[in-house]
Amino acid sequence: MYRRILPLLIIGSITFTYADSATQTDWSGGPGVWGPVTRFGIEFYSDSGITCYSGSGDITLGMIDDVVGHNVAWDFDGAASVYSEDIDGDGDMDILGAAYSENEITWWENLDGSGTSWTENVIEDYFHHVVSVYSEDIDGDGDMDAIGSSSWKSGIAWWENVDGAGTLWIDHYVDEEFYYAKSVYSEDIDGDGDMDILGASSGFDEITWWENQDGSGIFWIEHIVDEHCPGADCVHAEDIDGDGDMDVIGNSGNSVNWWENLNGSGIFWARHTVDGDFDDPRCVYSEDIDGDGDMDILGAAALGISDDISWWENADGTGTSWVKHIVHGYFFEGSHAVYSADMDNDGDMDILGSCFYEGEVDWFENLNGLGTSWSEHHIDGNFGGPNSIYAEDINGDGIMDILGAARIWDDITWWEVLSYPPEGSLVSSVLDVECSPLWSTIDWSALEPAETSISFQLRSSVDPDSGAMGPWSDTLYVPCSLEGILTDSEQYVQYKVILETSDPGITPALDEVMLTWDPLGISGDTGSDSFELLPFYPNPACSAPSVRFGLPETSTVELSIFDVSGRLLEQISTEEYPAGYHSVFLDELSPGIYFCRMISGEFMATQRFVVIE
C-alpha cells in the first residue's frame, strides 16, 4: 500500500528554498554512488541479489543463473527435436523427442512428476530421418497425439494415441510425398474447430498446410501456402494481423516472412516480408514480446553475423510494418532454435536460444517488458549440437524449465531453473536534505505476492562519511513514522531495501520509496532569514494539526483559522516569539478544508490545509 501526500496550495507569495520529501522510482543507473547527493536520481550505492537495471525502474530479486541439468536420454541417436506435453493424461508433463539417425519418435513418461525418473516409450522406430516432432489432439478425442516430419522421403505423419495413455499408437500418413520436410506444426488454420497440420519442405521449396477434413485425422486435403520458398526450414502459425484467423510464419531463403490468411479459410494467401536479409534462418516463432497486445516474430539465424537471435516488432499490429531488435548478435554461431516463454514469472515474455556450434543453450531476460533491454542467462555451454529447445514446467514447481535436444551428443536433457534467491538488498546513496530535519515518514509502493516481502532499514548522521553513518535501524515491514527511528536534526540519511521470497518462482517488486521530513532549519541553521508561514505538514492532517512559522527577529505573531466559507473559527492570542522556527498546535478541528492566516508587523501570509478523520 502506498499513500501519496496531497499537493499543497500555497496562497501566500512565499518562496521556499528547502525540500520536505525525497522520492526514488528508478534505479537503472546502477551502483557505485555513495554521495552525498541532494536528490535520489537513478543511481544507488550497492546491491546484492537483485535486478534493478530495467527501463521500468522496478527493483526485483535477480534470477539465479545456476541450473540443475537432468538427463532424459543419452543414446538417442541424432537427437534433432524435443517437445513437452502430457501424453498419458496424468497431469504432469512428459517429453517427446525425434532422433534423426535412429529414425525414431519417442516419448518419455515423467513417472512421479518430478522429472527425475523416466520411462522410454517408442512411438515409431522407422520414420526416415525424422527432424521435427510436435504434439496436438489431432482426432479430437481429448488426448494428445504425436506429429512428425521426415527430412528424407517419409513426408508428414501423425500417430494416434489410441488409449490416451501413450501405450498404443497407430500411424496415419498425411503426405508421404512431401519430401525433405524440415518442420511440422499444428493449428486450426481454417477455423472449423479441428486441428490441421503445417509443414515446410526444403526439397520442394514449399510451405503447405493440410486440412483435417472431418476432424478425425484420417482424410486430408493439401493446400499450398507458398510454392516459391527456397530452403524452407521452419513453419509456425499465429494471428499476426489481429483479424481473428491464423496466419503462417516461415522462411524463404534468407528472408523471414508471414503469409496472411486472406479470408480465414486458408485457401488464399498474401506473402509479407518481415526481414529480407536474415542469414539462413533455422527457426521462427511468434509471441507478444513487447506486451502491446499484438504478435511479434522471433528468429534464429544459423549464419548470422550480428543478428543470430532477433525479434521483429509488429509496429502497428497489422503486420505491415516491422522494427528489428537484436537480442544476441556476435559469438552465438550457428543459432538453430528460438523459443519464447515467461521464464522469470514477471508477466513479460523472455526468449530462449541455442547455439549449435558452440554447444550453448541460453535464455534472455526481457528486462523492461518492451524487448529493448536484455540480460543473458547461461544454461549450458557444453551441450553437443543443440538442435532444438523448448520451455515447460517439467517438475511442477510453477517455474518454467528448459529442454534441449543435442544432435551431436545424442542427448535429451532438461534443466531445472532454480529462479530467484531467497533474499536480495539494495543500499541507497547518502542523501543530504540540506536542513536540520524533523524526520516524518517513510512510505513505499510495491508488489508483494504471497510468500514474499519488502522491508527497509534506515540510518542518519551529521557526517556523510562512510564510517560515520552508523548502524542500521530495526527492520521496517510497513510504511510508518520515523519518530524514534532516525535522529532529528541529522541531515544525512540512507536507506536499505530488503527483498525476500520463500518461493523461488516469485519475486516482490519495489516501485517507489519516499522519505519525508519537517524542515526546521535551512542548511543546518536553526534561524530564519525571513518571515515565513510554512506549509502544513502532513497535509491532510488528523484532527489537531500544528502551525509552523519562521521569524528573522523577535516579533509579535497573530494566527487566525478560517473555514472554507471565510468564517473565523479561531484566533490565537497575539504573542511575541523570538527569532527562529516555531510550532503552535491548534485545537481539534472537524474534517474539512481550512485556511490559516499569519500576521506579523507588515507581513501577512495564508496557508490552506485539510483535516481528515
Side-chain angles (χ1 to χ4, degrees):
M1 181 181 68
Y2 179 62
R3 302 179 300 281
R4 294 189 181 275
I5 298 170
L6 297 177
L8 298 169
L9 174 62
I10 301 175
I11 307 274
S13 59
I14 306 171
T15 300
F16 299 100
T17 59
Y18 54 84
D20 59 5
S21 67
T23 302
Q24 189 158 16
T25 61
D26 189 345
W27 296 262
S28 61
V33 179
W34 172 261
V37 297
T38 56
R39 67 177 187 88
F40 291 128
I42 61 174
E43 293 87 12
F44 53 92
Y45 174 58
S46 65
D47 65 295
S48 175
I50 67 159
T51 296
C52 52
Y53 310 112
S54 69
S56 64
D58 291 352
I59 293 175
T60 62
L61 289 170
M63 293 295 294
I64 299 175
D65 286 340
D66 293 336
V67 295
V68 176
H70 301 274
N71 185 263
V72 179
W74 54 88
D75 57 355
F76 198 53
D77 196 6
S81 182
V82 68
Y83 191 72
S84 179
E85 186 52 79
D86 182 8
I87 296 297
D88 52 3
D90 63 354
D92 55 47
M93 302 307 294
D94 308 304
I95 293 176
L96 296 93
Y100 176 86
S101 302
E102 202 164 343
N103 304 316
E104 185 173 292
I105 292 178
T106 295
W107 76 279
W108 292 268
E109 181 184 356
N110 190 350
L111 288 176
D112 61 1
S114 70
T116 57
S117 181
W118 300 91
T119 296
E120 181 180 10
N121 301 273
V122 176
I123 297 174
E124 172 65 71
D125 59 5
Y126 194 77
F127 191 63
H128 205 156
H129 289 350
V130 57
V131 290
S132 180
V133 67
Y134 192 71
S135 181
E136 186 52 80
D137 182 9
I138 296 298
D139 52 5
D141 63 354
D143 55 48
M144 302 307 294
D145 307 305
I147 314 164
S149 64
S150 163
S151 66
W152 186 234
K153 293 186 177 180
S154 296
I156 301 286
W158 75 279
W159 291 264
E160 179 183 353
N161 189 350
V162 177
D163 60 0
T167 57
L168 180 62
W169 299 87
I170 297 177
D171 61 344
H172 301 276
Y173 278 79
V174 178
D175 192 333
E176 291 185 76
E177 297 183 353
F178 194 68
Y179 299 154
Y180 307 101
K182 291 296 188 66
S183 177
V184 70
Y185 191 71
S186 181
E187 185 53 79
D188 181 8
I189 297 298
D190 52 4
D192 63 354
D194 55 47
M195 302 307 294
D196 307 304
I197 291 178
L198 300 93
S201 167
S202 62
F204 283 174
D205 297 335
E206 187 174 290
I207 290 179
T208 295
W209 76 279
W210 293 267
E211 179 184 352
N212 191 349
Q213 193 172 6
D214 62 359
S216 69
I218 305 300
F219 304 103
W220 298 91
I221 299 175
E222 181 184 24
H223 301 278
I224 296 175
V225 177
D226 196 326
E227 58 186 348
H228 302 288
C229 298
D233 272 322
C234 43
V235 69
H236 186 68
E238 189 53 77
D239 181 8
I240 296 298
D241 52 4
D243 63 355
D245 57 47
M246 300 307 296
D247 307 303
V248 171
I249 309 154
N251 77 295
S252 175
N254 290 336
S255 69
V256 174
N257 311 284
W258 74 279
W259 289 265
E260 181 182 356
N261 191 346
L262 290 175
N263 62 0
S265 68
I267 306 301
F268 303 103
W269 299 90
R271 177 171 170 170
H272 302 273
T273 298
V274 178
D275 190 330
D277 188 25
F278 193 59
D279 205 358
D280 195 14
R282 292 297 180 90
C283 184
V284 294
Y285 191 69
S286 182
E287 187 53 79
D288 182 8
I289 297 298
D290 53 4
D292 62 355
D294 55 49
M295 302 306 294
D296 308 302
I297 292 177
L298 303 80
L303 299 179
I305 296 176
S306 62
D307 55 357
D308 305 288
I309 301 291
S310 297
W311 74 278
W312 294 266
E313 178 185 353
N314 191 347
D316 60 2
T318 67
T320 58
S321 178
W322 298 91
V323 178
K324 184 176 183 177
H325 301 274
I326 297 173
V327 179
H328 196 302
Y330 299 99
F331 310 116
F332 208 67
E333 186 179 0
S335 299
H336 266 51
V338 68
Y339 190 70
S340 181
D342 183 4
M343 298 301 300
D344 51 3
N345 283 343
D346 65 352
D348 56 47
M349 302 307 295
D350 308 300
I351 291 177
L352 294 79
S354 73
C355 177
F356 189 87
Y357 300 119
E358 300 297 329
E360 189 170 338
V361 175
D362 293 343
W363 75 273
F364 305 92
E365 182 181 354
N366 190 348
L367 291 177
N368 59 6
L370 303 175
T372 57
S373 179
W374 300 91
S375 177
E376 182 178 5
H377 297 268
H378 194 57
I379 298 300
D380 198 322
N382 191 28
F383 191 60
N387 200 68
S388 173
I389 54 174
Y390 191 68
E392 185 54 78
D393 180 9
I394 297 297
N395 57 357
D397 64 355
I399 305 168
M400 296 299 286
D401 305 302
I402 296 174
L403 299 84
R407 189 161 173 173
I408 296 175
W409 278 12
D410 308 325
D411 196 351
I412 298 290
T413 291
W414 74 277
W415 294 270
E416 181 180 358
V417 179
L418 301 180
S419 197
Y420 299 104
E423 181 176 318
S425 63
L426 177 146
V427 177
S428 76
S429 302
V430 174
L431 179 71
D432 180 2
V433 302
E434 299 185 294
C435 69
S436 295
L438 176 64
W439 295 109
S440 296
T441 62
I442 180 172
D443 211 340
W444 62 86
S445 172
L447 293 175
E448 298 180 65
E451 312 299 327
T452 74
S453 68
I454 287 181
S455 57
F456 280 83
Q457 294 176 338
L458 299 114
R459 58 186 180 183
S460 63
S461 175
V462 296
D463 184 345
D465 184 80
S466 60
M469 287 300 295
W472 292 103
S473 70
D474 291 339
T475 304
L476 311 175
Y477 290 94
V478 294
C480 62
S481 168
L482 294 177
E483 183 178 358
I485 296 173
L486 296 180
T487 303
D488 291 335
S489 299
E490 293 184 343
Q491 73 182 74
Y492 300 101
V493 66
Q494 192 175 32
Y495 70 80
K496 178 196 292 184
V497 57
I498 303 164
L499 286 71
E500 296 178 280
T501 183
S502 58
D503 183 337
I506 303 174
T507 177
L510 176 67
D511 178 64
E512 184 175 24
V513 58
M514 175 187 284
L515 301 177
T516 64
W517 60 90
D518 190 350
L520 296 182
I522 309 301
S523 300
D525 186 359
T526 58
S528 174
D529 57 7
S530 64
F531 290 94
E532 303 172 83
L533 176 60
L534 302 179
F536 279 71
Y537 194 85
N539 191 7
C542 294
S543 59
S546 62
V547 181
R548 302 171 303 132
F549 56 89
L551 303 172
E553 58 191 35
T554 300
S555 305
T556 300
V557 176
E558 177 185 300
L559 300 172
S560 303
I561 306 299
F562 300 87
D563 65 17
V564 72
S565 69
R567 181 168 58 96
L568 178 65
L569 300 180
E570 181 180 359
Q571 183 167 324
I572 300 173
S573 300
T574 302
E575 294 185 25
E576 187 173 82
Y577 294 88
Y581 287 94
H582 303 276
S583 181
V584 176
F585 284 93
L586 303 179
D587 292 336
E588 187 169 322
L589 295 169
S590 301
I593 300 174
Y594 299 93
F595 295 90
C596 175
R597 185 182 68 192
M598 169 185 168
I599 298 176
S600 182
E602 296 182 356
F603 173 81
M604 183 173 69
T606 303
Q607 289 287 352
R608 176 182 179 270
F609 65 98
V610 177
V611 174
I612 59 175
E613 293 182 352

